[in-house]
Amino acid sequence: MPNDLWLSIGAILPIIVLAVWACLLLLVDLFIPAQRKGWTASLAAVGLLITLAVILSRLGQSQSGFGGMVMVDNFANFLSILLLASGLAAIALSHDYLQRTGIERGEYYVLLLFSISGMMLMGMASDLIMVFLALELLSIPLYVLAGIAVPRLNSEEAAIKYFLLGAFASGFLVYGTALVYGASGSTSIAKIVQVIQAGQHNLTLLLAGAGLILVGLGFKVAVAPFHMWTPDVYQGAPSSVTAFMAVGAKAAGFAALLRIFVLAFPVVSLDMTPVLWSVAALTMILGNFVAIAQKNIKRLLAYSSIAHAGYILMALTPYGQSNVSADSVASALFYLVAYALTNFAAWAVVIALEQADERGLELSDYAGLGRKQPALAAAMTVAMLSFTGVPPTLGFVGKFFLFRTVIEGGFIGLALIGVLTSLVSAYYYLRVVVIMYMQEGEPVVRRDGWLYATAFVSSIGVVALSIFAGPLIALASRAILNLF
Amino acid sequence: MVPIQYYTALSAILFTIGALGVLTRRNAIIVFMSVELMLNSANLVFVAFARSFQSINGQVFVFFVMAVAAAEVAVGLALIVAIFRSKHNINIDQINNLRG
């Protein structure tokens, strides 16, 4: 038995390293003077790099731990690497931004690390209770991060809205979990699968549980009609937090959705697929059409993130067909990478243009950027093209992969909605480009090396990886879910 | 022994009351209490099924849910206090600076 315990601890070693590092950083931060919080930022980045090294040293192995509560497979490792890279990008975006807006506190970086450990755990969780715990571990630090700019009213408002709706969503998730427990006698995905194969489950309870779990996680990844909090929270939270939240919370939420639905719930796919179909379609339509009316860049990106959640959910629709479900997982993961890179390129530019007291966030503030800062404007243009899905960007490859999966699953109507809403999205994405290059203006731009580096590395990555997409697609395709 | 259906029906009623409370009440504290009611209705399902399956798992999960709920209370009340300090009000209809 003790041997088992050590193996289990070994399985989640990256999370333990990260969490312990975060706890120590909280102590060390006490001795770092307020003007030198850059040290805390660097130490947090070192923690992420060490965790990354631990994961990279054990790639390819697949092990389960704690009686099947966590499963560290290729899928989990793929997500962990994506999340750690996002964390590094978030730290690069944060330091200068927090300093000049006067909200730099050491606990910011610690909370970021805790949240990332929760997200990583979410990718590994193969027990519904573990999903719940991981969800809370990632959410609670995010609630605080959204409100870290107290006493700025917008930030407080964002935090309280995120908190109340997040807790509401957890209620759905827990109740769904409880019903699945009632239906199958277990919360472990592996055991649920066994019970279903033996035909000893209660289908009504299982269906109700699956629906409630979809609602709970749907709130987290912001799909319509559970998206109401997204624009307000994205606008009110400090921009560096929003940039991270948009990627991290989405990736973690979809990780849990993919693992639970693909592995445990194919038996209810007859009823769940139409639900997923309509939720995905509604999300794409609503996100893209409402984004057209936005004047504030943060709100615009919020609605864009809702729309992209719809695209990713589209990949989940054919999850019940065993010959397509592997492609579902691969294309969703690939799109998450594309979304993460594009997102950080766009947010780096947004943060570079943001001024104190939340000025510089209107679309009209971008006028003249093309002449004054051609490089930054180019990065923003790449991001907007990638969000739209125009080649040669990663967004195009990602969407292509998604649509192929959906058509493989036989949902041509859904793919058509996806293509048409992408066309609609070109209107508001390209409007940003037009404002940058065609209108006269004097934008005020913050010069900071890390900000520029993030913008350029992500936008170059978006273009370069789309041309050499093969290895990334291969990696995503190998990131299959293991049951045992 | 009380049949399991009674417990699930009761918990479904509690869950619905909680969800309706979140959607209709405007005081942030009461909204938050309604969320707690939803979590506790799930706890009731867990305990009831754990008893009917004669398995300890469901009862252990209740502790997890309670612990997490306590952590949420800590953060949530701190946020509500912060917003009360700046607005002297916790009516969520009046927390509406952000709109587009």
Side-chain angles (χ1 to χ4, degrees), chain A residues 62 128-130 138 140 146 153 253 258 296 344 356 452 474 484:
Chain A
S62 158
L128 295 176
I129 282 296
M130 215 59 205
L138 85 88
I140 292 177
L153 206 53
L258 285 168
N296 180 300
F344 278 112
Y452 278 45
F484 298 108

Side-chain angles (χ1 to χ4, degrees), chain A residues 129 132-133 136 140 153-154 156-157 159-161 163 167-168 170-172 174-175 178 181-182 185 187 205 232 299, chain B residues 11-12 15 22 32 35 38 42 49-50 53 55 58 61 68 72 75-76 79-80 82-83 86 95-100:
Chain A
I129 282 296
F132 170 63
L133 289 179
E136 294 299 322
I140 292 177
L153 206 53
N154 281 352
E156 286 178 355
E157 181 179 335
I160 194 110
K161 281 186 173 161
F163 169 73
F168 187 46
S170 311
F172 281 94
V174 179
Y175 200 76
Y181 176 68
T187 52
L205 277 182
D232 290 351
R299 279 188 99 80
Chain B
S11 84
F15 184 81
V22 173
F32 190 39
V35 169
M38 291 168 71
F49 277 113
F53 297 145
S55 94
F61 298 150
V68 167
E72 268 188 348
V75 170
L79 288 174
I80 293 175
I83 209 146
S86 11
I95 307 176
N96 56 1
N97 256 20
L98 300 166
R99 53 177 68 174

